[in-house]
Amino acid sequence: QVQLQESGPGLLKPSQTLSLTCTVSGGSISSGSFYWSWVRQPAGKGLEWIGRIHTSGTLNYNPALKSRLTMSLDTSKNHFSLILTSVTAADTAMYYCTTGMVIDGVASFDPWGQGTLVTVSS
Amino acid sequence: EIVLTQSPGTLSLSPGERATLSCRASQSVRSTYLAWYQQKPGQAPRLLIYGASNRATGIPDRFGGSGSGTDFTLTISRLEPEDFAVYYCQQYGSSPITFGQGTRLEIK
């Protein structure tokens, strides 16, 4: 089965740009029909969907983050990425990458990466 | 945006008992594209149920999902010690994808 592993900076200052990468093993991000997604979770709180990119490159973003968000696929490195600009303390959270096979145009999330903690603090 | 409301917020039960978790949507969920996830402390969520009633690979048959439209239920027929965790519902049929706020299932 596909395995996912997030990587990122850990600590950022307010107004900086967050860049995260999700490396995929056990399968190719350019094969089949999959949504590659990001989900975040502030400590002790619930899950928030950030956005997704399809194998074809089609993008869907959460409207609440759309103005600051860019997602992309890198087929040469078999990973996908998230860039979030102008971060604030409200962006402090565990960030998960996840995927799902598209059936009838939709996909649930399975499997997930283990998550990477991002803290925004001055 | 579809808002999902889970109840109860916390459910206190004993091993061997039956658990019933509810998820109510603010509008009809397209084609029962409703999933349930389990999350244990320090771990990523794990998919349990998709399409409202289909168990994901490797999920024990004591986990069952049902419902349609705006009302969905996750049932755990006989609780095992490893089932005590937080459970989230998710609708993935409409963008933005949304999650419920979670139900904490704790040992009584």
Short mmCIF file of all heavy atoms in Angstrom, two decimals, chain B residues 2 27 38 81 100:
data_model
loop_
_atom_site.label_atom_id
_atom_site.label_comp_id
_atom_site.label_asym_id
_atom_site.label_seq_id
_atom_site.Cartn_x
_atom_site.Cartn_y
_atom_site.Cartn_z
N ILE B 2 -21.12 22.38 3.86
CA ILE B 2 -21.93 21.47 4.69
C ILE B 2 -21.32 21.40 6.09
O ILE B 2 -20.15 21.02 6.24
CB ILE B 2 -22.00 20.07 4.06
CG1 ILE B 2 -22.72 20.15 2.71
CG2 ILE B 2 -22.74 19.11 4.99
CD1 ILE B 2 -22.79 18.81 1.96
N GLN B 27 -27.08 20.02 5.39
CA GLN B 27 -27.81 19.78 4.15
C GLN B 27 -27.48 18.38 3.68
O GLN B 27 -26.53 17.76 4.16
CB GLN B 27 -27.45 20.82 3.08
CG GLN B 27 -25.98 20.96 2.79
CD GLN B 27 -25.67 22.14 1.88
OE1 GLN B 27 -25.84 22.05 0.67
NE2 GLN B 27 -25.21 23.23 2.47
N GLN B 38 -11.28 7.11 12.88
CA GLN B 38 -10.90 6.93 14.28
C GLN B 38 -9.53 7.56 14.49
O GLN B 38 -8.64 7.37 13.67
CB GLN B 38 -10.82 5.42 14.60
CG GLN B 38 -10.36 5.08 16.00
CD GLN B 38 -10.00 3.61 16.12
OE1 GLN B 38 -9.02 3.14 15.54
NE2 GLN B 38 -10.80 2.86 16.88
N PRO B 81 -11.15 -2.78 24.20
CA PRO B 81 -10.34 -1.73 24.84
C PRO B 81 -9.68 -0.80 23.84
O PRO B 81 -9.54 0.40 24.11
CB PRO B 81 -9.30 -2.54 25.62
CG PRO B 81 -9.98 -3.83 25.93
CD PRO B 81 -10.83 -4.13 24.72
N GLY B 100 -16.91 16.65 11.04
CA GLY B 100 -17.57 16.98 12.28
C GLY B 100 -16.54 17.32 13.34
O GLY B 100 -15.33 17.14 13.14
#
